[in-house]
Amino acid sequence: MPGATRSIVINAPMDKVFAVIADYDKYGQFLPEVKAIRTSDLQGSEVKVHYEVDVVKRVKYTLRLKEEPPNKVSWTFVEGEVMKDNKGNWLLEDIGGGKTKATYSIEMALGPFVPKAIINAMVDKQLPTMLEAFKKRVEAMA
């Protein structure tokens, strides 16, 4: 399954970074590709998150996210259009001085008729842009 891992240093403590990552319902406020989002089926540390995103094409999908405070959020694929699988995680590391290294890893399998351009756009353009958006959001709130 094709995947990618990227890291970014955020000028905020780990708990602040975790709080923004785990505030799924607010993603649309700072991630322009998120057109709609809602959560359901909260069970302990797990929740289903239903996304509608616009990355070259509008796509709807659902992930089950598991929170492991203070340093990990992981997910598995539930259902969706175009995708056959999607799993990954955020790993946070306190690097001292009130800074956090946030590493985002994703593995995704898309349908056989999905153009390579969509996959490349998601990994090469959307992933770094998304990490920068999280960095700005956390630092503005810290």
Side-chain angles (χ1 to χ4, degrees):
M1 200 165 28
T5 299
R6 300 280 190 282
S7 295
I8 194 166
V9 173
I10 300 174
N11 297 311
M14 201 164 58
D15 63 325
K16 303 280 189 203
V17 178
F18 189 92
V20 170
I21 291 169
D23 197 1
Y24 316 111
D25 291 319
K26 295 212 174 110
Y27 282 11
Q29 294 177 6
F30 65 98
L31 296 172
E33 66 273 14
V34 175
K35 302 305 179 190
I37 192 165
R38 69 178 178 83
T39 56
S40 70
D41 300 331
L42 177 63
Q43 297 174 359
S45 65
E46 295 189 9
V47 64
K48 280 186 184 174
V49 182
H50 309 270
Y51 297 85
E52 183 174 337
V53 299
D54 193 350
V55 182
V56 182
K57 165 186 164 84
R58 237 179 225 242
V59 178
K60 293 179 182 178
Y61 61 97
T62 301
L63 302 176
R64 175 170 295 286
L65 284 87
K66 181 178 181 184
E67 297 175 9
E68 298 173 54
N71 67 333
K72 184 176 182 183
V73 175
S74 57
W75 63 87
T76 55
F77 182 70
V78 176
E79 63 184 357
E81 306 168 340
V82 183
M83 274 181 226
K84 294 195 300 191
D85 201 3
N86 180 331
K87 62 184 174 185
N89 61 62
W90 281 96
L91 286 176
L92 305 179
E93 179 185 350
D94 182 348
I95 57 173
K99 295 182 180 187
T100 302
K101 178 181 176 185
T103 301
Y104 181 93
S105 298
I106 185 168
E107 290 182 42
M108 201 175 338
L110 301 174
F113 302 110
V114 177
K116 190 115 174 113
I118 291 179
I119 297 169
N120 290 341
M122 288 167 48
V123 172
D124 298 335
K125 295 181 180 82
Q126 293 299 124
L127 188 49
T129 301
M130 182 197 74
L131 289 174
E132 280 297 327
F134 271 95
K135 176 181 171 73
K136 286 179 187 168
R137 175 76 169 194
V138 173
E139 290 176 357
M141 298 179 81

